[in-house]
Every structure is written in C-alpha cells, then in structure tokens.
Amino acid sequence: MQPVTKARWQIHFCVLFWGFTAILGKLITLPALQLVWWRTLLVAGALLLSPKVWRGLKAMPAKLRWSYAGIGVLVSLHWLTFYAAIKLANASVGATCIALGPVFLSLVEPWIAGRKFDPRELLIGVAVVPGVAMVVGGVPMDMRMGIVVGTASALLVALFGAFNKRLVEHGDPLTVTCIELGTGTLFLTLLAPLLPGPAFVLPSTHDAILLLVLSFGCTLLPFALALVALRHMSAFGTQMVTNLEPIYAIVLAILLLGEQRQLDGWFYGGVAVILAAVFIHPLLTRKQTPPSQPELLGTAESHSVVE
C-alpha cells in the first residue's frame, strides 16, 4: 500500500473513533461535568507517564505554559458543553452542532490570528443559518436547549482552535495537550462546587469501562495514528476527511442508539445544509492553505489535529 493511501485509511479510522465520542457520551451515565473531568484526568495522567512530555515541560518558557493553560480552560468548557448538549438532546444533535465549528472558525480566526478577513468565509457562515433553522425545527421542543448548548460548544471549538493555531509552532503536541488537559482538569475541579449536583463520584463499572474506551481508544489511539498519517497528507486532504466526523457520529447514533425515531426530515435536511457549507469551506480556501503540521491531541476530536 502506498504511504498516501495508507495515511488516508489511518485518518478515516481516526475520524471513525472520534465519531464514537458522541455515542459514548450518551451511553455513559455520569453527568457531563464528571464525564469530562474523568476524561481529562485520564488522558493528562497518561501523557505524564511519557518522558518526552516532561522534557517538553522543562524546556517550555513559563509564559508559553500559561498561554496553553488558558487555552486548556476553553478546551474543558468545550467538552463540558459538548457532552451537556448530548445529555440535553442526543448524540446526533451534539454532533451536528459541532459541525458548526469550522463556520465559527472562519469568522473568529481573522480576529485572533490577525489575518485578512475573507468575505467568502462570511458567505459560508450566512449559508449555514438556514440549516441551523431546519435542525431546530426538526427536533422535539425538549431537546432545543441541547442545540443552544451545542452551538456554544462549537463556538468554543473555534476559539481554542484559533488560539492553538496561533501558538502551534511553539510546543511539542504531546506536551501542549498535557498542559491543556491538565489545566482543564484543575479548572473543572474548581468549577464543580459552583454547579448543582454532586461534585465528583466514582464511576460504576459500566461507566469506568466506557471512560477508558473514550480516553484511550477515542483520544490517545487516534491521535497517535493521526500524527503518523499527517506526515503524508496535506492539510486540505486531512480537513476533507475530518469533515466526515459528524456524518459518522450521526450514522452510528442511528445504528446503535436508534435516534432516527426522535428526529424528523427537517433535522436531516438541516444537517445536509450545514455539512455542505463545511465541505465547501476548504474547497474555496484550498489555494491559500499551506501544508500543515500535526497540531494537538483530541481536545476537540478531529477539529484540533489540523486547522
């Protein structure tokens, strides 16, 4: 198998693993805060076992560590709102809202990264609005708060994705991910007493097994595969594959959770409009996109591997 072909298959496997994160978020019975706390703790703890991470931490300037720590707060808030959206609605709704991330990114990245604004990106943002309206009209009334929270999660994806891109060349990806998720764990620990319900509980055996799958099978494993695959693929090629993540998640939700019974045709029509905009964006900007390098771990599943 040619290296490029093998890399494409590896990225598809990564996206499939990331698609399972929404399914696992629905199957795990823990509240969103506790789910995210355990996930960040497990991944950050595993990364701290790597000597390479410790070397990276020692070599990184303190100012840069604080910058990544601030991004880690955004990461934890993104995951918290993502899984809260799934709990409030379902996995399909959560995955659809995350598909808005690249649209938000096209609007906030020029401001954060200091690059020239591209009117074509605003056009894509406007084109998504009818799709969002159709999605809202296609879900039961008691799930619509999940759309609101999921949209906030997509905005957080765009914010920390833009900040990560601004600092991507200044740190080793594993080290940066450890800082961000470690900070996220600490932030959620401080946030927990301010939210209703118990702060932290030990997960049941069922939840513990699924948390291990989520942390290592859907985070560390695909990240390792993505790092290898990105050596042989362009940023454009990778983005086109990672755009499939919401599709994988929705198909898996239908097959494994039977969520098609909860949603009607308006929802799926809206999903099609949103995904069309997400796919059109890299096509319009292809000539402007230079080859990228591996960025960060599954802080936003596929959205943080390359931007």
Side-chain angles (χ1 to χ4, degrees):
M1 186 180 296
Q2 294 295 321
V4 174
T5 303
K6 183 178 180 181
R8 288 198 186 99
W9 279 108
Q10 287 176 324
I11 289 293
H12 274 289
F13 277 116
C14 292
V15 174
L16 180 60
F17 290 142
W18 286 318
F20 270 104
T21 60
I23 308 301
L24 292 171
K26 190 66 175 179
L27 294 176
I28 294 172
T29 61
L30 291 173
L33 175 66
Q34 297 177 28
L35 188 161
V36 176
W37 187 83
W38 280 107
R39 186 183 183 186
T40 56
L41 178 67
L42 288 170
V43 176
L47 290 172
L48 285 173
L49 298 177
S50 170
K52 181 180 180 181
V53 169
W54 284 103
R55 290 194 298 269
L57 288 171
K58 292 178 181 178
M60 186 178 293
K63 183 178 180 180
L64 190 56
R65 287 200 297 266
W66 280 110
S67 297
Y68 285 125
I71 297 173
V73 173
L74 294 176
V75 171
S76 63
L77 287 173
H78 155 62
W79 273 358
L80 182 61
T81 50
F82 173 61
Y83 288 110
I86 292 172
K87 300 293 183 181
L88 290 168
N90 58 29
S92 297
V93 170
T96 300
C97 290
I98 291 303
L100 294 170
V103 179
F104 282 127
L105 184 64
S106 69
L107 300 176
V108 303
E109 186 186 357
W111 166 59
I112 293 174
R115 67 171 175 83
K116 185 179 179 181
F117 178 75
D118 189 340
R120 293 174 298 180
E121 296 181 344
L122 177 60
L123 179 62
I124 293 172
V126 173
V128 167
V129 173
V132 174
M134 293 171 68
V135 165
V136 172
V139 303
M141 187 66 68
D142 59 354
M143 288 188 181
R144 292 185 179 179
M145 181 54 66
I147 294 177
V148 174
V149 176
T151 302
S153 183
L155 176 59
L156 288 164
V157 165
L159 288 173
F160 80 72
F163 281 116
N164 270 338
K165 183 171 183 178
R166 186 173 180 175
L167 300 174
V168 65
E169 297 180 358
H170 300 289
D172 169 70
L174 286 175
T175 302
V176 172
T177 299
C178 183
I179 294 173
E180 291 189 356
L181 297 192
T183 303
T185 304
L186 178 60
F187 173 74
L188 293 175
T189 302
L190 298 174
L191 181 65
L194 304 178
L195 299 178
F200 302 104
V201 297
L202 287 174
S204 65
T205 302
H206 169 269
D207 284 346
I209 293 173
L210 294 182
L211 280 168
L212 290 173
V213 174
L214 176 64
S215 300
F216 301 116
C218 295
T219 306
L220 283 174
L221 176 59
F223 175 63
L225 288 174
L227 283 181
V228 176
L230 286 171
R231 297 172 185 170
H232 305 285
M233 292 185 66
S234 67
F236 173 81
T238 305
Q239 183 64 56
M240 292 303 293
V241 178
T242 55
N243 283 346
L244 293 171
E245 181 190 340
I247 298 176
Y248 284 159
I250 292 171
V251 171
L252 289 170
I254 291 173
L255 295 176
L256 301 178
L257 304 177
E259 289 186 355
Q260 73 277 8
R261 294 188 294 271
Q262 301 172 307
L263 307 167
D264 63 21
W266 283 101
F267 172 84
Y268 294 106
V271 170
V273 172
I274 293 171
L275 291 177
V278 171
F279 275 94
I280 289 172
H281 174 249
L283 290 172
L284 289 178
T285 58
R286 181 176 186 179
K287 294 182 180 180
Q288 303 175 3
T289 305
S292 182
Q293 65 183 63
E295 191 164 318
L296 298 178
L297 176 55
T299 46
E301 312 344 321
S302 63
H303 304 288
S304 61
V305 176
V306 290
E307 294 291 357

